Each structure stands twice: as C-alpha cells, then as structure tokens.
Amino acid sequence: ILATQGISQIAGILFDLGLSSHQIDTSERGFSFQQDGPLDMRMGPDAHKSASEVVNTYSLNELIRIFRSYGEERASPAIARAICRVREEEPITTTMQLADLIDKAVRSPHIQKTLARIFQAIRIEVNNELAHLEQIFQTAVDLLQPGGRIAVLSYHSLEHRIVKSVFQTATR
C-alpha cells in the first residue's frame, strides 16, 4: 500500500496484533468457543484451509504439533486423541462441538484457558499467522527511516518472540 502511494520510508508504525471484537463476536466466523458457529477461523480470502479442515484432516501427530507449538498446551496429546476418536464417527463442524469435546477430554477447572490455547493454535495454523508476522515486521524495518519507531502490541509469547527476534536482528 505504501509503495502504491509513493512512500518509501516511514517515521513510525503501530501494530496491534489482537483479534478484533468483530471477529470474535460474529459467530459465523468461527473464532469463538463461547458461541456456536461453523469451524472456520479464516481471517481473509487468502487462507487455503478452514479450521474444520485442520480438525478433520490433520493426523494425530500434526494436531499435537500445532497444539503444542502454537497453543503451548500441555494437554495436547489428550485433546488430539479425542478429536481423532470423535471424527471417526462424524466430522467436527462447529465451534461448540469442538469446545465440548475439549472440555470432556481435559476436565480441568481452567478449561477456559485450555479452550483459548487450542482455538488460538488452530487459528494460527489456518492463517499461517507467524510466517506473516515475520514477513510484515521485516518489511516494516526495511521501510523505517533513521530514528523511526515501531511499536507492537502483542498478546502471546509466540508473537512476542518473533518481534524480539526481528528487532534484535535489525538493531545489529
């Protein structure tokens, strides 16, 4: 967008990496485990797969990997096994089906945190979010004029690690 406007350098950028309330509050988008909707989670039209495809087609090991890597969830194996068991009978197609399945698999007083981590992991996988973040931060650094500033509001450690890594490399 900057290039189309003839802008080659910028003085500052603010990144807010949080989800918008519109995404969470619109049940048809499939981002929330608190209201029923289709398992979708696509941020935009360039996403090649939906959350339903991830949940219903990924192998046990692939599910464990994304739940551990992107959700940092300790109960990843139990949740992945429960998903694989349930989808043998019928596909998991709604957010409430998935949330109920996770609740039954984990039975924890901290179920809200577990649900948030698993839904986060699936969303990150669907949208390839971490790769996009690395790319956009590097582009922003390249466009920054001397003395410019970049500020980032990040909401989980995966985002924070990427910010820290890109900025450490850029300062060298």
Side-chain angles (χ1 to χ4, degrees), residues 5-33:
Q5 300 298 312
I7 299 170
S8 61
Q9 287 194 317
I10 52 176
I13 298 178
L14 170 64
F15 290 97
D16 181 346
L17 305 181
L19 290 175
S20 75
S21 60
H22 173 71
Q23 290 165 318
I24 295 169
D25 295 342
T26 307
S27 61
E28 298 82 37
R29 301 289 305 276
F31 285 100
S32 176
F33 54 82

Short mmCIF file of all heavy atoms in Angstrom, two decimals, residues 5-33:
data_model
loop_
_atom_site.label_atom_id
_atom_site.label_comp_id
_atom_site.label_asym_id
_atom_site.label_seq_id
_atom_site.Cartn_x
_atom_site.Cartn_y
_atom_site.Cartn_z
N GLN A 5 1.40 4.42 -2.94
CA GLN A 5 1.22 5.83 -2.60
C GLN A 5 2.52 6.62 -2.78
O GLN A 5 2.59 7.80 -2.44
CB GLN A 5 0.73 5.97 -1.15
CG GLN A 5 -0.58 5.30 -0.88
CD GLN A 5 -1.71 5.88 -1.71
OE1 GLN A 5 -1.88 7.09 -1.79
NE2 GLN A 5 -2.46 5.01 -2.37
N GLY A 6 3.57 5.95 -3.27
CA GLY A 6 4.85 6.61 -3.50
C GLY A 6 5.63 6.85 -2.21
O GLY A 6 6.51 7.71 -2.17
N ILE A 7 5.34 6.09 -1.17
CA ILE A 7 6.02 6.26 0.11
C ILE A 7 7.08 5.17 0.25
O ILE A 7 6.77 3.99 0.20
CB ILE A 7 5.01 6.18 1.29
CG1 ILE A 7 3.98 7.29 1.14
CG2 ILE A 7 5.73 6.26 2.63
CD1 ILE A 7 2.80 7.16 2.09
N SER A 8 8.33 5.60 0.41
CA SER A 8 9.42 4.63 0.50
C SER A 8 9.99 4.51 1.91
O SER A 8 10.72 3.56 2.19
CB SER A 8 10.54 4.99 -0.48
OG SER A 8 11.06 6.27 -0.15
N GLN A 9 9.68 5.48 2.77
CA GLN A 9 10.13 5.41 4.15
C GLN A 9 9.03 5.90 5.08
O GLN A 9 8.21 6.75 4.69
CB GLN A 9 11.38 6.28 4.37
CG GLN A 9 12.64 5.69 3.77
CD GLN A 9 13.87 6.40 4.31
OE1 GLN A 9 13.89 7.61 4.40
NE2 GLN A 9 14.88 5.62 4.66
N ILE A 10 9.06 5.39 6.31
CA ILE A 10 8.06 5.80 7.29
C ILE A 10 8.75 6.18 8.60
O ILE A 10 9.83 5.67 8.91
CB ILE A 10 7.03 4.68 7.55
CG1 ILE A 10 7.73 3.37 7.88
CG2 ILE A 10 6.09 4.52 6.37
CD1 ILE A 10 6.80 2.24 8.25
N ALA A 11 8.11 7.07 9.34
CA ALA A 11 8.67 7.52 10.62
C ALA A 11 8.23 6.61 11.76
O ALA A 11 8.94 6.47 12.75
CB ALA A 11 8.24 8.96 10.91
N GLY A 12 7.06 6.00 11.62
CA GLY A 12 6.59 5.14 12.70
C GLY A 12 5.42 4.27 12.30
O GLY A 12 4.66 4.62 11.39
N ILE A 13 5.32 3.13 12.96
CA ILE A 13 4.22 2.19 12.74
C ILE A 13 3.80 1.64 14.10
O ILE A 13 4.65 1.33 14.93
CB ILE A 13 4.63 0.99 11.86
CG1 ILE A 13 5.08 1.43 10.49
CG2 ILE A 13 3.49 -0.01 11.74
CD1 ILE A 13 5.54 0.27 9.62
N LEU A 14 2.49 1.48 14.28
CA LEU A 14 1.96 0.80 15.45
C LEU A 14 1.23 -0.45 14.96
O LEU A 14 0.33 -0.36 14.13
CB LEU A 14 0.97 1.70 16.22
CG LEU A 14 0.16 1.01 17.31
CD1 LEU A 14 1.06 0.48 18.43
CD2 LEU A 14 -0.89 1.96 17.86
N PHE A 15 1.65 -1.60 15.47
CA PHE A 15 0.98 -2.87 15.18
C PHE A 15 0.18 -3.29 16.40
O PHE A 15 0.74 -3.39 17.49
CB PHE A 15 2.00 -3.98 14.88
CG PHE A 15 2.74 -3.83 13.59
CD1 PHE A 15 4.00 -3.25 13.55
CD2 PHE A 15 2.19 -4.30 12.41
CE1 PHE A 15 4.69 -3.13 12.36
CE2 PHE A 15 2.87 -4.19 11.21
CZ PHE A 15 4.13 -3.59 11.19
N ASP A 16 -1.09 -3.56 16.24
CA ASP A 16 -1.92 -4.15 17.28
C ASP A 16 -2.30 -5.53 16.79
O ASP A 16 -3.10 -5.67 15.87
CB ASP A 16 -3.17 -3.29 17.53
CG ASP A 16 -4.06 -3.85 18.63
OD1 ASP A 16 -3.88 -5.02 19.04
OD2 ASP A 16 -4.96 -3.11 19.08
N LEU A 17 -1.71 -6.55 17.38
CA LEU A 17 -1.86 -7.91 16.87
C LEU A 17 -3.07 -8.65 17.42
O LEU A 17 -3.26 -9.83 17.12
CB LEU A 17 -0.58 -8.71 17.17
CG LEU A 17 0.72 -8.09 16.65
CD1 LEU A 17 1.90 -8.99 17.00
CD2 LEU A 17 0.66 -7.81 15.17
N GLY A 18 -3.90 -7.98 18.17
CA GLY A 18 -5.08 -8.63 18.74
C GLY A 18 -6.18 -8.85 17.72
O GLY A 18 -6.22 -8.19 16.69
N LEU A 19 -7.05 -9.80 18.04
CA LEU A 19 -8.24 -10.01 17.21
C LEU A 19 -9.21 -8.87 17.45
O LEU A 19 -9.27 -8.33 18.55
CB LEU A 19 -8.93 -11.31 17.61
CG LEU A 19 -8.23 -12.61 17.27
CD1 LEU A 19 -9.01 -13.79 17.85
CD2 LEU A 19 -8.09 -12.77 15.79
N SER A 20 -9.98 -8.53 16.45
CA SER A 20 -11.00 -7.50 16.65
C SER A 20 -12.23 -8.14 17.27
O SER A 20 -12.50 -9.33 17.10
CB SER A 20 -11.36 -6.85 15.31
OG SER A 20 -12.16 -7.70 14.54
N SER A 21 -13.00 -7.34 17.99
CA SER A 21 -14.22 -7.87 18.60
C SER A 21 -15.19 -8.33 17.52
O SER A 21 -15.97 -9.25 17.73
CB SER A 21 -14.86 -6.83 19.51
OG SER A 21 -15.20 -5.67 18.79
N HIS A 22 -15.13 -7.70 16.33
CA HIS A 22 -16.00 -8.12 15.23
C HIS A 22 -15.73 -9.58 14.87
O HIS A 22 -16.66 -10.35 14.61
CB HIS A 22 -15.81 -7.23 14.01
CG HIS A 22 -16.54 -7.71 12.79
ND1 HIS A 22 -17.92 -7.66 12.69
CD2 HIS A 22 -16.10 -8.28 11.65
CE1 HIS A 22 -18.28 -8.16 11.52
NE2 HIS A 22 -17.20 -8.56 10.88
N GLN A 23 -14.46 -9.97 14.84
CA GLN A 23 -14.12 -11.35 14.50
C GLN A 23 -14.64 -12.32 15.58
O GLN A 23 -15.22 -13.35 15.27
CB GLN A 23 -12.61 -11.51 14.35
CG GLN A 23 -12.07 -10.82 13.12
CD GLN A 23 -10.57 -10.67 13.16
OE1 GLN A 23 -9.99 -10.34 14.18
NE2 GLN A 23 -9.94 -10.89 12.02
N ILE A 24 -14.45 -11.96 16.82
CA ILE A 24 -14.85 -12.84 17.91
C ILE A 24 -16.37 -12.86 18.07
O ILE A 24 -16.96 -13.91 18.30
CB ILE A 24 -14.18 -12.41 19.23
CG1 ILE A 24 -12.66 -12.60 19.10
CG2 ILE A 24 -14.71 -13.20 20.41
CD1 ILE A 24 -11.86 -11.99 20.22
N ASP A 25 -17.00 -11.70 17.95
CA ASP A 25 -18.44 -11.59 18.20
C ASP A 25 -19.31 -12.11 17.06
O ASP A 25 -20.50 -12.34 17.25
CB ASP A 25 -18.83 -10.14 18.48
CG ASP A 25 -18.21 -9.62 19.77
OD1 ASP A 25 -17.79 -10.44 20.60
OD2 ASP A 25 -18.14 -8.38 19.94
N THR A 26 -18.74 -12.28 15.88
CA THR A 26 -19.50 -12.78 14.74
C THR A 26 -19.37 -14.30 14.71
O THR A 26 -18.37 -14.84 14.25
CB THR A 26 -18.99 -12.15 13.42
OG1 THR A 26 -18.99 -10.73 13.56
CG2 THR A 26 -19.86 -12.56 12.25
N SER A 27 -20.39 -14.99 15.19
CA SER A 27 -20.30 -16.44 15.35
C SER A 27 -20.05 -17.16 14.02
O SER A 27 -19.43 -18.22 14.00
CB SER A 27 -21.56 -17.00 16.02
OG SER A 27 -22.70 -16.75 15.24
N GLU A 28 -20.50 -16.58 12.91
CA GLU A 28 -20.31 -17.21 11.59
C GLU A 28 -18.83 -17.30 11.21
O GLU A 28 -18.46 -18.08 10.34
CB GLU A 28 -21.05 -16.44 10.49
CG GLU A 28 -22.54 -16.39 10.66
CD GLU A 28 -22.98 -15.30 11.64
OE1 GLU A 28 -22.37 -14.20 11.67
OE2 GLU A 28 -23.93 -15.56 12.39
N ARG A 29 -17.98 -16.49 11.84
CA ARG A 29 -16.55 -16.52 11.54
C ARG A 29 -15.85 -17.71 12.19
O ARG A 29 -14.76 -18.10 11.79
CB ARG A 29 -15.87 -15.21 11.98
CG ARG A 29 -16.42 -13.93 11.35
CD ARG A 29 -16.09 -13.76 9.88
NE ARG A 29 -14.69 -13.83 9.55
CZ ARG A 29 -13.84 -12.81 9.61
NH1 ARG A 29 -14.24 -11.63 10.00
NH2 ARG A 29 -12.58 -12.97 9.27
N GLY A 30 -16.46 -18.25 13.25
CA GLY A 30 -15.93 -19.46 13.87
C GLY A 30 -14.69 -19.27 14.72
O GLY A 30 -13.91 -20.20 14.89
N PHE A 31 -14.49 -18.08 15.28
CA PHE A 31 -13.31 -17.82 16.11
C PHE A 31 -13.54 -18.10 17.59
O PHE A 31 -12.60 -18.32 18.33
CB PHE A 31 -12.88 -16.35 15.99
CG PHE A 31 -12.19 -16.02 14.70
CD1 PHE A 31 -12.89 -15.40 13.67
CD2 PHE A 31 -10.85 -16.31 14.50
CE1 PHE A 31 -12.26 -15.09 12.48
CE2 PHE A 31 -10.22 -16.00 13.31
CZ PHE A 31 -10.92 -15.39 12.30
N SER A 32 -14.78 -18.06 18.04
CA SER A 32 -15.08 -18.09 19.46
C SER A 32 -15.56 -19.47 19.92
O SER A 32 -16.36 -20.12 19.25
CB SER A 32 -16.16 -17.06 19.78
OG SER A 32 -16.52 -17.14 21.15
N PHE A 33 -15.08 -19.87 21.09
CA PHE A 33 -15.56 -21.12 21.69
C PHE A 33 -16.72 -20.85 22.63
O PHE A 33 -17.23 -21.75 23.26
CB PHE A 33 -14.43 -21.83 22.44
CG PHE A 33 -13.71 -20.98 23.47
CD1 PHE A 33 -14.23 -20.81 24.73
CD2 PHE A 33 -12.52 -20.37 23.14
CE1 PHE A 33 -13.57 -20.03 25.66
CE2 PHE A 33 -11.85 -19.59 24.07
CZ PHE A 33 -12.37 -19.42 25.33
#
